[in-house]
């Protein structure tokens, strides 16, 4: 996100307006490494391009990021002295990624099960905080629609997120001191 906001600012555009038009919370700007859905990234870049009148913005951002924009994979490839070494590094990393999937199968689980458990834990942690609405939590966990999050939560816990939050608040409420 940092590169999109930077491009908008350099061109004299309004970053807050871009995020608003893309239906994304402005607080994402403080979390440039946060993963967001690809369609949301594309919508943000599209809104930024309109804001600054630069239809080639997406291409320019891709060129600026280059191989380093691929994160750890890109860094390993860039660390190679020669092209054949870079290709070897990329192939080894791809093999280890595929082995990770095989390892999950050997221990009797799947990536989907691991992801579901992680989402369930994160959802309950976020529901304990009152500063996030259920819609915000759904979005931050990657659900396109709060109803999809609610369905997943009911499958995990047997009750809706709203009911879970209400029960958690009731169980953690402290008695008020008498005046």
């Amino acid at each position: 996100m940092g590169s999109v906001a930077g491009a908008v600012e350099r061109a004299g555009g309004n970053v807050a307006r871009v995020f608003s038009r893309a239906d994304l919370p402005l607080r994402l700007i403080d979390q440039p490494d946060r993963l967001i859905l690809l369609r949301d990234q594309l919508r943000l870049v599209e809104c930024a391009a309109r804001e600054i009148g630069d239809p080639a913005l997406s291409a320019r951002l891709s060129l600026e990021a280059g191989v380093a924009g691929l994160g750890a994979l890109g860094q390993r490839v860039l660390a190679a002295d020669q092209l054949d070494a870079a290709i070897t590094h990329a192939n080894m990393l791809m093999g280890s990624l595929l082995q990770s999937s095989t390892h999950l199968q050997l221990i009797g689980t799947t990536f989907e099960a691991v992801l579901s458990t992680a989402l369930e834990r994160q959802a309950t942690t976020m529901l304990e905080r009152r500063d996030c609405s259920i819609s915000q939590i759904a979005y931050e966990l990657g659900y396109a629609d709060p109803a999809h999050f609610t369905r997943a939560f009911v499958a995990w816990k047997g009750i809706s997120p709203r009911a879970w939050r209400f029960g958690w608040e009731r169980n953690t409420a402290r008695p008020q001191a008498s005046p």
Side-chain angles (χ1 to χ4, degrees):
M1 288 307 171
S3 58
V4 174
V8 171
E9 285 180 348
R10 284 191 302 276
N14 184 316
V15 174
R17 185 170 44 228
V18 169
F19 274 76
S20 175
R21 287 181 178 160
D23 292 325
L24 293 171
L26 186 58
R27 63 184 148 74
L28 285 175
I29 203 163
D30 297 326
Q31 305 165 345
D33 294 329
R34 176 156 184 152
L35 296 177
I36 65 169
L37 296 174
L38 180 59
R39 72 152 195 271
D40 293 336
Q41 293 177 31
L42 295 173
R43 190 172 59 239
L44 181 65
V45 172
E46 180 183 325
C47 292
R50 283 191 196 132
E51 173 74 16
I52 63 175
D54 182 1
L57 179 63
S58 61
R60 283 190 314 96
L61 291 173
S62 296
L63 288 173
E64 288 172 12
V67 175
L70 296 175
L73 174 64
Q75 290 169 358
R76 288 276 304 269
V77 170
L78 288 174
D81 295 343
Q82 299 176 340
L83 180 59
D84 64 336
I87 292 169
T88 301
H89 281 306
N91 284 335
M92 286 183 348
L93 288 170
M94 188 57 66
S96 69
L97 291 173
L98 293 173
Q99 288 172 3
S100 297
S101 173
T102 303
H103 175 72
L104 289 174
Q105 289 174 345
L106 290 175
I107 61 172
T109 191
T110 63
F111 174 76
E112 290 77 14
V114 172
L115 176 62
S116 180
T117 300
L119 286 172
E120 178 182 357
R121 287 181 184 155
Q122 185 66 27
T124 55
T125 299
M126 294 174 83
L127 283 167
E128 290 172 1
R129 297 182 7 226
R130 287 295 294 162
D131 62 336
C132 279
S133 70
I134 291 173
S135 294
Q136 287 174 311
I137 292 170
Y139 170 76
E140 291 197 19
L141 292 176
Y143 290 91
D145 186 328
H148 300 163
F149 167 64
T150 297
R151 257 179 265 148
F153 197 88
V154 168
W156 297 326
K157 300 287 190 187
I159 60 172
S160 72
R162 186 176 316 276
W164 189 93
R165 178 180 264 175
F166 178 74
W168 180 83
E169 287 173 342
R170 229 180 44 211
N171 291 334
T172 60
R174 294 186 186 110
Q176 297 288 335
S178 307

